[in-house]
Amino acid sequence: MTGTPKELTVTAQQGDYKVVIGTGLLQQASSWLTSILNPKTSLMIVYDAKLESLGYVKTLEQSLKKEFVNVYSFAVESGESSKSLQHAARLYSAFLAAGLDRRSAVLALGGGVIGDLAGFAAATFMRGIDFVQIPTTLLAHDASIGGKVAINLPEGKNLVGAFHAPRLVLYDVATLQTLPLYERSSGLAEAIKHGVIYDPELFAYIEEHVEPILLGDSDALTHLLYQSCKVKAKIVSQDERESGIRAFLNFGHTIGHAIEALQYGYYTHGAAVAIGMIYETKIARRLGKIDVEFEDRLRVLLEKAQLPTSLPAEQKSKEAIDALIEHMRRDKKAHSRSLPFILPERLGTVSFEASVDEAVVRQVLAD
C-alpha cells in the first residue's frame, strides 16, 4: 500500500505527539524528525540486534544522516531478558560515550522490549531526554503509545518504570511484512483486546479479515493498526497516568503477565494475553457479568488468530496455580495482595473488579 500516511494525535502532559502509520516511513524518517527536533540534536538509535540483517538499521541511519549531524546506534539482544537494570546501565554508558546530553534524543527501533528499555533509559538519563518510538512488530502497537516505559526485576515484569511520552511514534507497516507468522499472531491479541474493551467494530473487522492480517496484507495491516492505535490514543489521552479508564487496557494481563513471567520462553506476550483474556472472561461469567455466547465468540476469534485459549493440563496442578496466584498478587493494580481484574460486561464495555475471591480464580484456572 502506498499513499499518504495516516496520523493520530495523542494528548500528553509532556506535550501532544503524533502517531504516523504508513509504508516507507523509515526512508522518510529524517523529514518527520526534523519537524520536532533540531538538526543539531544528537540521536542514538537503540535497536533489536536481529533487525540488522533486514537492513532496517542502515535504512534509518541513512535517512537520518541527511539532516542530522550526529547519529549513533546501539544494538540490544532480542528477548525479555534485555529489560533489566544491567542492560539499562549499558545504555547509559553508551549514551555517555557518544556524548549525548539533555538536548539529545533516543530512537527505539524494534518491538516492545526495545521500546520499554530505550524509553526507560531516555526517561532516566540526565533526568529525562527526548524519545521517539519506531516499532517494527505488530505487538508493539499497544506499548508504543501512552508513554509507559519499564524494565523488569526478578520478582516480576515492569516493576521499575516511568511515564515518559514519546515525541513521535513512526510506524512503517512494511516492517511488519517480514515478521514470522507467530509474531503477527501474537500482535493480534492486543488489537483483539482493544476491540473487546472499547470498539466492537474493530473486533468485527478482525473477525472478517484475520486471514489477510496474518498473511501480512499491507492494506489490512494499515487499517488494523490505525483503528487499534486510535483506541489506545483515545484512552491514554483521557487518562495518561492510569488513574481511571487506562486500567481497562490491562484486560487479559493480570493472568497473562503471570503466565508470561512463569513460563517465559514458552509463550509469547500475545499468547499469554490471549489465554488471560479467556480466563478473565470465564471469571466474568462466573460473576454473572457476561454470557457464554461472548466467551465462545472471543475464543473462536483467538483460535482463528492462531492463539492459545487454555493452559495445558500440566500447568493446572495445585502447585502451578499457587505460583500464578502469588504472581497476580504482586500485580501493579493489586492493593493489600488483592486479586484485581478487568472484566468484560459486553463487547466494547469492561469494568474494574478490585478484588475477586481466590476460590473463583482457582476454579477458573483449574477448569
Side-chain angles (χ1 to χ4, degrees):
M1 181 178 179
T2 58
T4 305
K6 294 177 178 289
E7 297 183 29
L8 298 165
T9 299
V10 182
T11 301
Q13 290 180 4
Q14 291 174 265
D16 296 356
Y17 58 93
K18 286 183 178 181
V19 179
V20 185
I21 302 166
T23 56
L25 296 184
L26 289 182
Q27 291 91 334
Q28 303 166 20
S30 61
S31 61
W32 288 102
L33 265 69
T34 51
S35 69
I36 58 167
L37 299 173
N38 188 304
K40 294 181 181 179
T41 302
S42 293
L43 305 179
M44 173 65 79
I45 304 168
V46 178
Y47 65 92
D48 187 321
K50 70 182 180 183
L51 296 181
E52 203 152 13
S53 64
L54 297 173
Y56 299 155
V57 182
K58 184 177 181 180
T59 298
L60 180 59
E61 287 175 336
Q62 288 176 338
S63 175
L64 295 174
K65 287 178 180 178
K66 293 175 184 176
E67 300 289 344
F68 293 88
V69 176
N70 299 312
V71 179
Y72 308 95
S73 301
F74 187 87
V76 175
E77 290 302 313
S78 301
E80 194 77 11
S81 61
S82 289
K83 280 176 55 175
S84 68
L85 288 167
Q86 293 81 2
H87 282 82
R90 291 174 192 168
L91 284 187
Y92 300 144
S93 295
F95 295 172
L96 290 169
L100 267 61
D101 56 30
R102 296 186 71 179
R103 294 175 295 279
S104 301
V106 174
L107 282 57
L109 178 67
V113 167
I114 300 300
D116 259 345
L117 174 64
F120 176 79
T124 49
F125 182 72
M126 295 190 176
R127 296 189 176 92
I129 62 175
D130 284 341
F131 168 52
V132 174
Q133 288 269 23
I134 309 177
T136 61
T137 69
L138 184 56
L139 185 63
H141 83 275
D142 183 67
S144 63
I145 300 170
K148 285 171 68 172
V149 294
I151 55 176
N152 302 333
L153 295 178
E155 292 81 2
K157 283 174 59 69
N158 301 329
L159 293 179
V160 180
F163 287 94
H164 190 59
R167 293 291 308 279
L168 174 71
V169 179
L170 206 57
Y171 220 131
D172 192 333
V173 177
T175 64
L176 306 183
Q177 295 172 312
T178 59
L179 293 173
L181 175 61
Y182 79 89
E183 286 200 26
R184 282 196 290 270
S185 177
S186 179
L188 255 183
E190 294 286 4
I192 291 168
K193 177 199 74 177
H194 289 161
V196 171
I197 68 171
Y198 198 88
D199 190 346
E201 290 184 7
L202 172 60
F203 191 93
Y205 177 83
I206 299 171
E207 285 181 314
E208 295 171 9
H209 297 85
V210 63
E211 184 174 348
I213 291 168
L214 288 177
L215 292 174
D217 179 81
S218 180
D219 288 350
L221 283 169
T222 300
H223 183 82
L224 173 80
L225 279 173
Y226 180 73
Q227 296 301 326
S228 193
C229 288
K230 186 161 67 173
V231 171
K232 182 70 179 281
K234 285 181 179 179
I235 290 174
V236 301
S237 292
Q238 295 176 60
D239 179 24
E240 184 179 6
R241 296 284 173 146
E242 202 168 346
S243 59
I245 66 167
R246 183 166 182 166
F248 293 169
L249 292 162
N250 289 308
F251 173 57
H253 285 63
T254 301
I255 292 176
H257 273 165
I259 292 171
E260 189 178 10
L262 295 171
Q263 302 289 336
Y264 185 71
Y266 187 86
Y267 297 107
T268 64
H269 177 72
V273 168
I275 296 171
M277 285 193 286
I278 288 295
Y279 282 139
E280 291 174 25
T281 297
K282 287 177 177 288
I283 291 172
R285 190 157 63 84
R286 285 179 181 263
L287 297 180
K289 291 179 175 287
I290 197 97
D291 56 33
V292 69
E293 286 77 13
F294 171 84
E295 181 186 331
D296 290 343
R297 185 178 176 186
L298 176 59
R299 180 184 291 104
V300 167
L301 179 54
L302 291 171
E303 289 174 350
K304 283 183 178 179
Q306 300 186 28
L307 289 161
T309 57
S310 178
L311 290 169
E314 63 269 19
Q315 293 174 14
K316 295 182 180 181
S317 67
K318 181 182 182 303
E319 292 76 13
I321 292 173
D322 286 345
L324 285 170
I325 288 177
E326 178 58 30
H327 196 280
M328 288 180 226
R329 292 193 185 280
R330 295 199 296 265
D331 187 277
K332 295 184 295 297
K333 300 182 297 300
H335 296 283
S336 302
R337 292 178 58 78
S338 64
L339 291 171
F341 290 94
I342 305 302
L343 300 177
E345 296 185 344
R346 62 181 181 276
L347 187 59
T349 302
V350 293
S351 62
F352 177 64
E353 192 76 22
S355 183
V356 174
D357 190 292
E358 182 179 320
V360 173
V361 180
R362 285 186 174 276
Q363 289 167 5
V364 165
L365 291 172
D367 187 5

